[in-house]
């Protein structure tokens, strides 16, 4: 018989909301309501787009991609969030943490790509309306969705592979209720130059490039709208962009804030990091369906008809 013992698997300790008890129902119940609202809103949006043939257009195909991405992003954080606030379970093994980190960052990259596709849709619809149907064909929309999905998967994969090989010999306490690459990298005791450089490159090639394309698209969109003579037509054209602009703000403002605080805000209280991370991952999936349901006439009419049918 051998006296050697197998080393215990590396585990991380996740953090709830600093300063508040994890078992507090004031946190758990609103959190569950947010996830239920997210599931209901995005699933309803997908169901309406699938069943209503008048919504089978490129804009709504991209909207369905956004809804599916929001579902994936939220479901990636759901297991650890519920484990912490409902069952007070804060331990997570390294392998599970890497898997969660991979899906969070992959769906985040995919959502950024979908927002670019939606900006291109608005650009063609406003700047080249006569070519809208011929340019945004069903095959192009399908190919664009495949490219966006594959980019999110492939770009983030080396991040997970690289961090799997790193030694963790410091404190294993993470700053959030889920695993993020920046947070895990902070606990590595080896040389992280390659990880940091590739992580930065991946962000630039996805969210950095995407934000630049969105900015250029809306520069041309605004220029085209201002050239419209009729004030009513100008307002109508701009109104078609409000939902997409709101989704962009919901996604990029918390993302930029989280990136800045991770790099330069180490002196800030832990609650700031936690709230920004939660806003980055929870706010867009919850609010996007509400915004599109309210601002999109076809979806709003379909919801109204559905509610009237249920009452009768």
């Amino acid at each position: 018989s051998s006296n050697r013992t197998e080393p215990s698997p590396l585990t991380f300790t996740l953090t709830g909301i600093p300063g508040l008890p994890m078992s507090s129902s004031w946190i758990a119940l609103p959190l569950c309501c947010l996830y239920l609202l997210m599931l209901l809103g995005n699933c309803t949006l997908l169901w309406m787009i699938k069943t209503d043939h008048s919504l089978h257009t490129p804009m709504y195909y991209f909207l369905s991609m956004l809804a599916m991405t929001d579902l994936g992003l939220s479901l990636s954080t759901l297991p650890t969030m519920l484990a912490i606030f409902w069952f007070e379970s804060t331990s997570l093994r390294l392998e599970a943490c890497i898997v969660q980190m991979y899906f969070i960052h992959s769906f985040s990259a995919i959502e950024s790509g979908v927002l670019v596709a939606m900006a291109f849709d608005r650009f063609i619809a406003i700047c080249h309306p006569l070519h809208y149907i011929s340019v945004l064909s069903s095959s192009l929309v399908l190919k664009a969705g495949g490219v966006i999905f594959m980019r999110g998967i492939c770009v983030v994969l080396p991040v997970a592979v690289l961090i799997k090989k790193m030694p963790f010999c410091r404190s294993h306490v993470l700053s959030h209720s889920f695993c993020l690459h920046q947070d895990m990298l902070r606990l590595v005791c080896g040389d992280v130059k390659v990880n940091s450089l590739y992580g930065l490159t991946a962000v630039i090639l996805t969210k950095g490039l995407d934000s630049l394309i969105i900015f250029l698209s809306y520069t041309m969109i605004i220029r085209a709208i201002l050239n419209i003579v009729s004030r009513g037509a100008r307002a109508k054209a701009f109104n078609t962009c409000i939902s997409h602009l709101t989704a962009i703000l919901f996604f990029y403002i918390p993302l930029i804030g989280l990136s800045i605080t991770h790099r330069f805000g180490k002196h800030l209280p832990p609650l700031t990091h936690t709230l920004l991370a939660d806003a980055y991952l929870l706010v867009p999936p919850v609010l996007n369906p509400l915004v599109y349901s309210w601002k999109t006439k076809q979806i709003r009419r379909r919801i109204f008809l559905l509610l009237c049918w249920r009452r009768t």
Side-chain angles (χ1 to χ4, degrees):
S1 62
S2 173
N3 291 327
R4 291 182 300 175
T5 59
E6 292 292 331
S8 58
L10 177 61
T11 60
F12 291 102
T13 301
L14 301 175
T15 304
I17 298 179
L20 294 176
M22 290 184 297
S23 59
S24 175
S25 59
W26 294 99
I27 304 172
L29 288 177
L31 187 64
C32 286
C33 291
L34 282 177
Y35 276 108
L36 288 174
L37 184 62
M38 178 276 302
L39 289 170
L40 179 63
N42 286 288
C43 290
T44 302
L45 205 58
L46 289 171
W47 176 77
M48 284 191 294
I49 294 173
K50 181 181 178 180
T51 56
D52 190 342
H53 291 282
S54 67
L55 302 180
H56 291 181
T57 61
M59 183 180 77
Y60 294 105
Y61 288 147
F62 288 131
L63 180 57
S64 64
M65 293 180 194
L66 182 67
M68 287 187 289
T69 306
D70 282 337
L71 282 171
L73 190 61
S74 295
L75 293 176
S76 299
T77 62
L78 179 63
T80 53
M81 294 283 277
L82 292 185
I84 290 173
F85 293 110
W86 274 115
F87 307 106
E88 300 183 46
S89 176
T90 59
S91 297
L92 191 67
R93 292 183 59 173
L94 172 64
E95 292 78 10
C97 194
I98 292 177
V99 169
Q100 185 184 49
M101 178 207 71
Y102 173 75
F103 279 110
I104 288 175
H105 289 290
S106 291
F107 279 115
S108 178
I110 293 171
E111 179 150 350
S112 180
V114 172
L115 291 175
V116 172
M118 297 176 80
F120 181 71
D121 171 86
R122 291 298 85 206
F123 167 74
I124 298 297
I126 293 174
C127 299
H128 305 282
L130 298 178
H131 302 285
Y132 182 79
I133 297 177
S134 60
V135 172
L136 287 174
S137 61
S138 298
S139 60
L140 179 63
V141 172
L142 186 62
K143 291 176 182 178
V147 170
I148 292 169
F149 183 76
M150 291 304 298
R151 187 192 69 160
I153 290 176
C154 296
V155 168
V156 182
L157 185 59
V159 174
V161 173
L162 287 172
I163 204 165
K164 177 68 170 64
K165 300 178 180 180
M166 301 304 293
F168 293 89
C169 53
R170 297 178 186 173
S171 170
H172 295 161
V173 179
L174 296 173
S175 304
H176 306 293
S177 305
F178 33 78
C179 300
L180 296 176
H181 179 247
Q182 309 95 312
D183 203 17
M184 295 179 67
L185 209 59
R186 179 179 57 86
L187 305 180
V188 173
C189 60
D191 187 6
V192 297
K193 290 182 181 178
V194 176
N195 300 66
S196 298
L197 181 61
Y198 182 81
L200 180 61
T201 303
V203 170
I204 292 174
L205 291 177
T206 53
K207 302 178 181 71
L209 183 61
D210 292 347
S211 60
L212 178 61
I213 295 174
I214 292 172
F215 175 77
L216 294 176
S217 298
Y218 270 98
T219 300
M220 291 182 282
I221 288 172
I222 292 173
R223 184 181 300 175
I225 291 175
L226 294 177
N227 289 332
I228 299 175
V229 178
S230 172
R231 181 177 298 180
R234 192 186 305 168
K236 184 178 180 181
F238 182 74
N239 191 56
T240 62
C241 301
I242 291 179
S243 299
H244 181 239
L245 286 171
T246 305
I248 292 171
L249 294 177
F250 285 158
F251 181 77
Y252 278 103
I253 288 179
L255 172 63
I256 294 171
L258 182 63
S259 300
I260 292 174
T261 54
H262 265 295
R263 292 187 178 274
F264 308 108
K266 296 180 180 179
H267 61 284
L268 295 174
L271 183 60
T272 304
H273 297 262
T274 301
L275 293 180
L276 281 173
D278 291 345
Y280 163 53
L281 295 175
L282 294 178
V283 170
V286 172
L287 295 185
N288 282 342
L290 299 178
V291 171
Y292 273 96
S293 299
W294 175 255
K295 295 299 297 181
T296 307
K297 183 179 179 180
Q298 292 90 331
I299 296 177
R300 189 169 66 245
R301 184 175 65 244
R302 186 73 190 275
I303 293 175
F304 176 75
L305 293 174
L306 182 63
L307 291 175
C308 291
W309 178 79
R310 285 189 175 182
R311 286 182 181 179
T312 57

